[in-house]
Every structure is written in structure tokens, then in C-alpha cells.
Amino acid sequence: MAIQESKVKTAVDGRKGERADHIYRVAAEIMCQKGYEATSMKDIADAVGLTKAGIYHYIVGKEDLLFQIMSFAMDMVDENVVTPARKIADPEQRLRVIIEGHARRILEVGGAVTVILEEMAALTPAHRKAIRARKRRYFDLVRETIGELQTQGKLRDVDPTVAAFNLFGMINWISRWYRPDGKLTPDQIMRDFLQIALNAVLRNA
Amino acid sequence: MAIQESKVKTAVDGRKGERADHIYRVAAEIMCQKGYEATSMKDIADAVGLTKAGIYHYIVGKEDLLFQIMSFAMDMVDENVVTPARKIADPEQRLRVIIEGHARRILEVGGAVTVILEEMAALTPAHRKAIRARKRRYFDLVRETIGELQTQGKLRDVDPTVAAFNLFGMINWISRWYRPDGKLTPDQIMRDFLQIALNAVLRNA
């Protein structure tokens, strides 16, 4: 699979990986605009400047492409959010790194792949199971972090699972409303977003 | 349109309206599970116990059905959230009524129609424009309420639009995670949800 080849850091595979990542981003944008089902392989090939035959060098088919986009999205979450967060012992600091890392990623590289992560119904059962397991591991990290904050007396008097879901709601929703040409910069939004999200769940954020 | 007929409170139209509302809810559930494009009129007819010919008594076609479901969702928002909220002069109390009214509705009647409200790409341009305008009016009510709270010094030091989007993120996301067979009752979730959502944006909720 292209997304795994991109991790093999040889020059050739690296180039193929970057090209594949670009296709995933562009395809996600098109699927967001037109809807997954209404998007054809030709739409995607046209947008990335490949022939319909050429794009099959990178992609097996439309469902596989969807799975690759979702795997790519979860790779980014692992790399930019989960891995840095797991190195942090203090749960409050860890939660801050998770929220900021994930939100900043959506603000800076766009939210299309986040929106596409919702298209679970279009996956084959095996692909759906794989993506669901990866989402679950991320959720569990956030849920456990909030549980530690509860033990420390820092969580508001709320159920940690409800708190975790609300954080995911705020983070994922950014992909629906943020526009790079809006009046606020990513830094301004990030500052307000962190304040809102941390105060939502912590007694003294 | 069936959804407008349902407001004419004659016995016959009332019955047709209730039947149509039932079809909208069931259709929304199926579309959530299978995806909008993958759902056929036959799937919906089978689920509500009508023949394929019979369902066309209520529905013009699949896109029109999608539009009717969204209109039905926005009718519920108007009736259960916007109309009661507009009667409340105090912005903090109004915000509380909006958040509670909307969240409770999702917890009690299910979130399928909320999820379907995202399927904007599948609408005709005229239908999309109509639904977008209704969503916008609701957003503006929340945004203006938060603006009043800012004037009163009750809002955190954040942009009111960012605050409004975060509230919508938390509310809409309930439809993704809430399961009626989960360990928490709607009342327990509602209590925690209100605490989280109000503290997210207000200095002293």
C-alpha cells in the first residue's frame, strides 16, 4: 500500500509516497465538495493532472482510495498528536499538547481529511474495522488522560467519557467552519480554541 | 410539500404529516447507516412497510426526500429551540435554553436527522441555498446571544464567532457518540453537557 511504502525512506519510495499524499489531500477536498459517492476516479485524476490509467499506479480503486485517505489521516494523528503526547507524563500538559497538536493540524493543512474520516459506511468491513480500531486507540488516549485529571481533582464534576467526546466534537468541528480567508489567523483561533476547550473540562485551566 | 401540509392541522393532513415525519426519521437512520448515495428508495419503502409505489405518495424522489428530512430537522430546531429562546431577554438564560433544548432533542429523539444535515453536497442548488439560509439564521441567533454576553462582560476573552462554532461542534457531535443503550441516562449526560458547554464560553457559568 502506498501509505506504507511512504514510510520506507528510500528516495524512490519517498517520492511515490509524497505523490500519494498529495493525491489523498486533493481527493479528500473533492470528496468533501461533491460527496464521496458522487466523486469519480476521473474527477480525481483530472485534479492531480494524471490520466485515468496513471492514477491507478497509485490507487487500486475508489474504496481503497477512501481507506488510504483515512489511513493517511490517522498516520498524521499518530505522528503529530499521539506520539508527542505519549512522551508527556503530566496529564494536563498532555491534554494541552493533544488539543493544540490536533487543532493546529486542521487549521494549517485543512480539514478535508478530517471530514472524510466520517465516511465509515462506504468502507469494506475489514477496512472499517481497521480504521475504527485506530480511532478507538486515539479516543482511549484522550479518555485515559482525562481520567488521570479526574484522579488529580482537576476535572470538572463531569463524566470523563462525556468530557472526551465534547473535546472531539470541538476539534473535529473546526474542519467544518474554519476558512483560511476568514478574518482570524490560525494563531488567534488557536489561542481562543485552547482557552475554550480547556475551560470546558478543567476546573482551573 | 408534505412537511408544510403537516402544519395544516386538519385530521387528514395531520395523519399524513405524522406518517411523513415517521418516514423522514426512518430514512435518516438508514442514510446514516448506509450513506445517502448507497440508500435506495426501496430500502426506505421496505423499512416503513410501504410499496415502492406507495412511498411516492409521500415523496417525490430521493433528493427531495433529503431536502424534506433537512427541512424537518430545521422545523424541529425552530419549534424546540429558536422559538422558545427568542422569548428570553437575558442572554445567559437564552444561551442555556438553546444548548439544553437542542442537546436534549438529539438525546431524546436520536441524532440521525442531525447527521443528515451535513449532506449539503447532495442537494440541488436551490434546496442547498434554502437549507443554508435556515442554518445561518440559527447560527446568527447563537452568535448574537454570545455577543450580548460579551457586552455584559460574561464571555471569556475569546472571539464570539469562535465560541459559537465550538458550541455547535459540541452539540452536533452528540449525534455521533450518544447511544441510548450506554451507561449514562440522557439526564446525566444533559447535566454534564450543560456544565461543559457553558463553562467553555462563560467566565462564571
Side-chain angles (χ1 to χ4, degrees), chain B residues 15-149:
Chain B
R15 274 200 300 278
K16 182 169 174 181
E18 275 171 39
R19 187 70 187 261
D21 288 0
H22 176 67
I23 293 171
Y24 300 152
R25 286 186 201 281
V26 171
E29 292 287 349
I30 298 170
M31 288 173 180
C32 274
Q33 283 162 27
K34 298 189 68 162
Y36 168 73
E37 292 286 347
T39 301
S40 70
M41 288 296 277
K42 187 174 180 309
D43 293 331
I44 296 161
D46 286 352
V48 294
L50 285 167
T51 62
K52 233 193 125 178
I55 201 163
Y56 283 100
H57 177 59
Y58 298 94
I59 297 158
V60 176
K62 204 168 83 163
E63 187 279 335
D64 188 72
L65 172 60
L66 180 65
F67 176 65
Q68 296 296 340
I69 294 170
M70 290 185 176
S71 301
F72 169 65
M74 294 310 301
D75 285 349
M76 287 204 299
V77 164
D78 281 346
E79 193 174 316
N80 298 292
V81 184
V82 174
T83 303
R86 286 207 189 279
K87 290 176 186 152
I88 299 167
D90 175 59
E92 185 170 344
Q93 188 51 27
R94 194 188 316 136
L95 188 68
R96 188 180 285 268
V97 163
I98 291 168
I99 294 170
E100 180 158 10
H102 196 159
R104 194 173 282 283
R105 197 78 199 160
I106 296 174
L107 292 172
E108 287 176 355
V109 306
V113 295
T114 305
V115 176
I116 293 305
L117 272 172
E118 300 271 310
E119 292 279 354
M120 297 294 276
L123 292 174
T124 63
H127 282 165
R128 192 180 308 128
K129 193 176 166 191
I131 297 295
R132 190 172 283 150
R134 294 190 71 175
K135 287 183 175 181
R136 181 76 215 187
R137 280 199 294 277
Y138 181 33
F139 180 83
D140 287 345
L141 169 69
V142 174
R143 170 64 184 74
E144 284 159 24
T145 299
I146 293 173
E148 289 173 54
L149 288 160

Side-chain angles (χ1 to χ4, degrees), chain A residues 33 37 118 121 156-157 159 165-166 169-170 172-173 176-177 183-184 191-193 195-196 199-200, chain B residues 33 37 118 121 156-157 159 162 165-166 169-170 172-173 176-177 183 191-193 195-196 199-200:
Chain A
Q33 283 163 28
E37 291 287 347
E118 300 273 310
R156 294 190 182 282
D157 179 25
D159 181 83
F165 280 126
N166 280 306
M170 285 188 273
N172 290 330
W173 208 250
R176 266 78 169 180
W177 59 263
K183 72 181 170 72
L184 297 177
R191 192 197 70 99
D192 290 1
F193 184 82
Q195 196 184 154
I196 290 168
N199 278 297
Chain B
Q33 283 162 27
E37 292 286 347
E118 300 271 310
R156 293 191 182 282
D157 179 25
D159 181 83
V162 174
F165 280 126
N166 280 306
M170 285 187 273
N172 290 331
W173 209 251
R176 266 79 169 181
W177 60 263
K183 72 180 170 75
R191 191 198 71 100
D192 290 0
F193 184 82
Q195 197 185 153
I196 290 168
N199 278 298

Side-chain angles (χ1 to χ4, degrees), chain A residues 179-199:
Chain A
R179 296 289 170 270
D181 56 354
K183 72 181 170 72
L184 297 177
T185 66
D187 279 346
Q188 288 172 313
I189 292 172
M190 200 60 241
R191 192 197 70 99
D192 290 1
F193 184 82
L194 258 181
Q195 196 184 154
I196 290 168
L198 290 171
N199 278 297

Side-chain angles (χ1 to χ4, degrees), chain A residues 128-145:
Chain A
R128 192 180 308 129
K129 193 176 165 191
I131 297 295
R132 189 172 284 149
R134 294 190 71 175
K135 287 183 176 179
R136 181 75 214 189
R137 279 198 296 277
Y138 181 32
F139 180 83
D140 286 344
L141 170 68
V142 174
R143 170 65 183 73
E144 283 159 24
T145 300

Side-chain angles (χ1 to χ4, degrees), chain A residues 147-162:
Chain A
E148 289 174 52
L149 287 161
Q150 188 180 40
T151 305
Q152 293 184 352
K154 289 180 176 171
L155 185 69
R156 294 190 182 282
D157 179 25
V158 296
D159 181 83
T161 302
V162 174

